Amino acid sequence: MKRIGFLSFGHWSDGTGSRTRSAADALLQSVDLAVAAEELGADGAYFRVHHFARQLASPFPLLAAIGAKTSRIEIGTGVIDMRYENPMYFAEDAGAADLISGGRLQLGISRGSPEQVVDGWRYFGYEPSEGDTEADMARKHTEVLLTVLRGRGFAEPNPRPMFPNPPGLLRVEPHSEGLLDRIWWGSGSNATAVWAAELGMNLQSSTLKNDETGEPLHVQQRKQIEAYRQAWKDAGHEREPRVSVSRSIFALTSDLDRAYFGRSADSGDQIGMIDESTRAIFGRSYAAEPDVLVKQLAEDEAVQAADTLLLTVPNQLGVDYNAHVLESILTHVAPELGWR
């Protein structure tokens, strides 16, 4: 069985005014979509996080709200940019949201993606140390977070505290046991996938990665997953790791589906530059009749290798239509591939 969830941007405006909602509407509809996805039998509700953009930027209130309104579905991110994060606050907020959800958080973190503003993390008070890059800063924040999430005391208690303390050094509270095993690294390269495995994080591979070999995205991702799993094995971790890939997949089962996505049927991978020095490969969209999708996805080596598939959804089209998109995959495609 493969876990299937959705991955949403949470936009409330596309920048043109043609599809404009309020931030409140976008947040509440995100909760409603997660509830609908759980009712349909989906396994996960994941949300992208981008600062300075008209979309979700503060994930923990949203994740806590979804956790309070659902009972089974996994709730996650893809991804939180660790260049912006104070690991201590992160651990507190994540611990609270995880406890509210009953231990269902699956938090994707990373060094981030191209931003809306130049060096946005500087406005949040962060600067790389001398000789470090912003990516180094993100990884250092991550290493601190992983240490804190272990739940061991490290802070010296005040001899005259406001409240009674337990004996020994103090830890960040609230602590949620098991959350450490549900941290994922959004990796854009083979090297960072290996680094994530060595630190004991699960792996998220998106609809784009660094173009390291010139091969199709799904082949490069499959090799990335293999390198990650070998590094995990070499590190000697006791538990089994999890791996997700993201895809834009639409089963064309109605005239409305064909109107929205029929022109994407012949799309292919694309090459582009995500910054001045990084060549990236962007994955194709899948849009076809269900029987054709089954054949196409059976040939996607990365989808087959992963245990979790995240479906990127057009959240601006509303809860009902996105629920239809999920239901079409869960009903007409997943069973034929042995995922249900």
Side-chain angles (χ1 to χ4, degrees), residues 7 9 11 20 58 71 81 97 117-118 120 126 142-143 152 185 188 199 230 234 297 321 335 338 340:
L7 177 60
F9 276 98
H11 289 291
T20 302
S58 52
S71 61
D81 188 336
V117 300
V118 176
Y126 299 111
T142 298
E143 290 169 355
R152 298 168 187 159
W185 184 258
L199 268 65
Q230 184 60 52
D234 293 344
L297 293 172
Y321 185 75
R340 281 293 185 271

Side-chain angles (χ1 to χ4, degrees), residues 10 13 51 57 63 68 73 84 96 123 131 144 152 163-165 167 176 186 199 207 238 257 272 274 290 295:
S13 172
H51 298 286
L63 299 177
I73 198 168
Y84 287 79
Y123 296 100
V144 173
R152 298 168 187 159
F163 311 108
N165 281 326
S176 184
L199 268 65
T207 52
E238 294 182 0
D257 296 332
I274 58 174
K295 294 177 182 178

